[in-house]
Amino acid sequence: TKAPKDPLSLVYIYGGGGAGKTTLLAFLQRNLVARTPAVAVARIDFDEPTIEPTGLVTLNIALFEQLLRSVDEIGVRVPGLLDALRRTALVQRNAQRPSISGTGLPGGSKRAARGSSSAADSIASQAESDEGSLLYGLLQHDILQGPLVIIFDTAELVLSQSDSVASNLVAWIDFLSREAGATDVRLVIAGRDPPPVPPGCSTTRCS
């Protein structure tokens, strides 16, 4: 199946607290999953403490926890997928912890620290590679039988952070398309604030 010209479509919903955004999103998710065949949909709520927008593996865990309930083929192709992703998350967390061995010691302490950091980077890199291999092709059209709908809820928690956080989310969507094979991604973003206006654009159009 050929990928569409524009692999990403986006809807942005905003309103103050209590406006009913989460209720609307829950209704949307239930409606899509209830269809025959069910639409592959997942809601990523940035208010959840387990969601780390800079951690690709935590986003993948949240995504596939929900997709496994509606897309049986994913579990058939990779049995034990969630356990494998959680092990990857644990490896990456451990690799990111600063090593205290040799701290404050004279002589070779700096070399030891550099060696420890290099080893941790290597372990984290290998874990990311394993994660990519694990998810490779799992979101292709023949598995999903339609688009992948991702809902970002409480988006203001991300938009208020640095540009690098938003860039990580863009990189994750790119990963899902490039590695996992999701060629038709529909993104719904909900938050309290209006969407940011790109340079050279007004609130209604871009030059």
Side-chain angles (χ1 to χ4, degrees):
T1 303
K2 293 179 67 176
K5 271 187 175 181
D6 184 359
L8 177 67
S9 62
L10 187 148
V11 173
Y12 193 102
I13 302 169
Y14 69 96
K21 299 183 298 298
T22 297
T23 300
L24 175 63
L25 296 178
F27 172 81
L28 172 65
Q29 186 172 14
R30 287 195 305 270
N31 182 273
L32 292 175
V33 171
R35 292 187 179 187
T36 304
V39 175
V41 56
R43 184 160 65 97
I44 310 293
D45 189 346
F46 293 114
D47 199 32
E48 292 289 334
T50 56
I51 302 295
E52 173 50 62
T54 60
L56 184 131
V57 68
T58 68
L59 294 168
N60 283 329
I61 290 172
L63 174 68
F64 282 96
E65 274 181 339
Q66 297 172 72
L67 292 186
L68 281 166
R69 299 174 197 150
S70 57
V71 186
D72 294 336
E73 183 66 18
I74 293 176
V76 171
R77 297 215 179 185
V78 186
L81 174 62
L82 287 179
D83 287 339
L85 286 175
R86 290 180 182 120
R87 286 194 297 271
T88 298
L90 181 61
V91 169
Q92 291 182 4
R93 278 197 300 269
N94 289 339
Q96 289 168 0
R97 289 175 182 165
S99 173
I100 60 173
S101 59
T103 301
L105 297 178
S109 60
K110 289 185 178 179
R111 287 193 299 273
R114 283 197 298 269
S116 176
S117 175
S118 177
D121 289 344
S122 176
I123 292 171
S125 177
Q126 182 59 52
E128 289 177 8
S129 177
D130 292 344
E131 183 181 358
S133 300
L134 189 67
L135 301 179
Y136 186 79
L138 268 189
L139 300 178
Q140 294 181 104
H141 182 77
D142 63 322
I143 297 177
L144 296 186
Q145 300 296 318
L148 170 63
V149 179
I150 300 176
I151 301 170
F152 286 153
D153 199 0
T154 328
E156 69 272 8
L157 297 180
V158 172
L159 296 177
S160 64
Q161 298 184 46
S162 65
D163 290 343
S164 64
V165 176
S167 296
N168 278 317
L169 290 175
V170 172
W172 179 56
I173 299 295
D174 180 67
F175 167 85
L176 295 180
S177 173
R178 179 171 38 84
E179 298 292 336
T183 56
D184 185 4
V185 180
R186 317 285 177 90
L187 197 59
V188 179
I189 301 177
R192 295 189 176 191
D193 304 319
V197 179
C201 298
S202 68
T203 55
T204 58
R205 61 184 297 179
C206 293
S207 56

